Structure formats: C-alpha cells, structure tokens
Amino acid sequence: MTHSIRFTMLLLALCITGAGCVHRIQVTPLPISLSSVTIPRTLQAVVSPIAMEGADHRPGIALLEWPHLDLKQAVVRCLQQRGTFTSVSPDPADLTLRVATKLRLTSRSGLYQYRIVLQAEMSEAAEVMKSYRAEHTAAGSSVRWVTASDRDPIETALQGALEDLMRQIEGDGALYLSRTEQPFQKLPHDKSSPGS
C-alpha cells in the first residue's frame, strides 16, 4: 500500500472510533398545520430525556447525540407555533403536558427507518386528565455518513408525531374547556327580597 492510502485508512478508522464523527443533531420541526381549535388555557410542556434504541435492538444508537435541551426546545417551539393553547412554555401553567420520547432506529429494505414514539399525559394540578400515544416513522438513507442523514429523518418523524399528538389533544378540547367554564351560580344572599 502506498503511504497516502494507509494515511487515509488511518484517518477513517480514527473518525469512526473517535468522537469527531458523532452526529450531534439539532432539529427545528414546524407544525404541519395550525390548530383549528383554541383552548384558552396556558400549557406547561415537560419533556423527559430521550430513550434511544439502535438498529441492532440494543439501547443507544452509535454515533448519534441528540441533546435533551434541543428536544425540549423543539417541542415547546412547535407547540407554540401551532397555536392550540394561549401560551406554551416550560414554566408552571394551567395545564401540564408531560412528554416521554423514544427514538428507534431500524434497517429495512436497505434503508434506515427512524421511528419517534411520544407517550404523553395531560394533567391539571396533580390530577392526570388524559393519556396519549403518538408516533411517526420517516425513512432515512442507506448509510449514515453525515449528520444530515440522521437529523433530517428524525426531524420529520418528530414533526409527524407532534402533529398526531396535537390532533388528539385538540379532539379532546371540550375536556379542557370544561375545567374553566363553570356555570354562574348566585350566592344565597344575592336572592332578591319578595317585595322588590
């Protein structure tokens, strides 16, 4: 072998085993559609750390790093832009949406498949009102040489799963409205006297 081929192979081996080739992704999913339902409540989004499962069905996906902070920011941004609630933030609010995210990477028909599963619970104070499950799968490429080969399908899968989740929540809009719209009740001392 020539010196340049050996050097190239050495660099490739270092890249594969070293941290320099880890795909550190950031995603910016946008809502596929705007909400047709408005729930006049504020929402706190609490997003748990990501659980990742690799193509070999073992925990973790080699060469992929998806920071928890990036996932939290992506979910909050997407829900804010959809416009279902008066406001969405990580801060305490009228309602709390707790979201657990799982990313599963499999290989099928020569392409990587990225599946996002969201398990969510909506609560008010300490009471769980409703649980939800949403998922979406996006096809990737046949190889994962560059960061975009992981980032793009993950962003698409997260976008689709969030869309599914929000449609389910919006379908239950009356459940969340009923907590704020209590019928007006007169107090006993408000009754008019018989002679008035």
Side-chain angles (χ1 to χ4, degrees):
M1 282 188 190
T2 66
H3 183 272
S4 63
I5 293 175
R6 284 186 200 155
F7 182 72
T8 302
M9 290 177 68
L10 177 62
L11 282 179
L12 183 59
L14 288 173
C15 184
I16 289 172
T17 58
C21 284
V22 171
H23 298 171
R24 290 181 180 89
I25 65 165
Q26 290 185 309
V27 297
T28 54
L30 298 173
I32 295 171
S33 61
L34 297 180
S35 177
S36 59
V37 173
T38 301
I39 300 172
R41 309 284 306 271
T42 58
L43 181 73
Q44 177 186 23
V46 178
V47 183
S48 301
I50 308 150
M52 291 196 247
E53 186 175 304
D56 55 2
H57 305 290
R58 290 183 300 180
I61 299 174
L63 304 178
L64 174 62
E65 183 181 302
W66 187 6
H68 180 214
L69 178 61
D70 180 71
L71 172 63
K72 288 196 298 187
Q73 291 173 341
V75 169
V76 169
R77 241 185 344 256
C78 191
L79 299 189
Q80 287 170 340
Q81 293 176 4
R82 187 169 176 89
T84 305
F85 293 91
T86 304
S87 69
V88 179
S89 76
D91 303 320
D94 298 334
L95 300 169
T96 301
L97 180 66
R98 299 183 186 282
V99 182
T101 307
K102 183 173 187 177
L103 168 63
R104 179 177 293 168
L105 176 62
T106 57
S107 181
R108 188 180 309 149
S109 303
L111 297 177
Y112 284 106
Q113 303 289 320
Y114 296 78
R115 181 179 176 209
I116 293 278
V117 178
L118 303 177
Q119 297 277 0
E121 283 185 346
M122 184 73 79
S123 60
E124 183 174 18
E127 181 188 352
V128 175
M129 301 170 75
K130 190 81 185 269
S131 296
Y132 299 94
R133 176 185 166 90
E135 61 182 80
H136 192 80
T137 302
S141 59
S142 57
V143 293
R144 297 171 57 221
W145 290 112
V146 295
T147 300
S149 62
D150 281 331
R151 182 194 61 232
D152 295 350
I154 288 172
E155 183 173 275
T156 300
L158 179 61
Q159 181 182 45
L162 286 171
E163 178 79 5
D164 182 13
L165 174 63
M166 293 312 295
R167 284 184 181 166
Q168 292 179 54
I169 290 171
E170 290 157 8
D172 291 330
L175 173 65
Y176 307 120
L177 289 172
S178 66
R179 299 296 178 112
T180 60
E181 296 179 350
Q182 300 297 328
F184 176 73
Q185 296 177 351
K186 288 186 177 181
L187 297 174
H189 66 274
D190 287 342
K191 291 180 179 177
S192 303
S193 62
S196 59

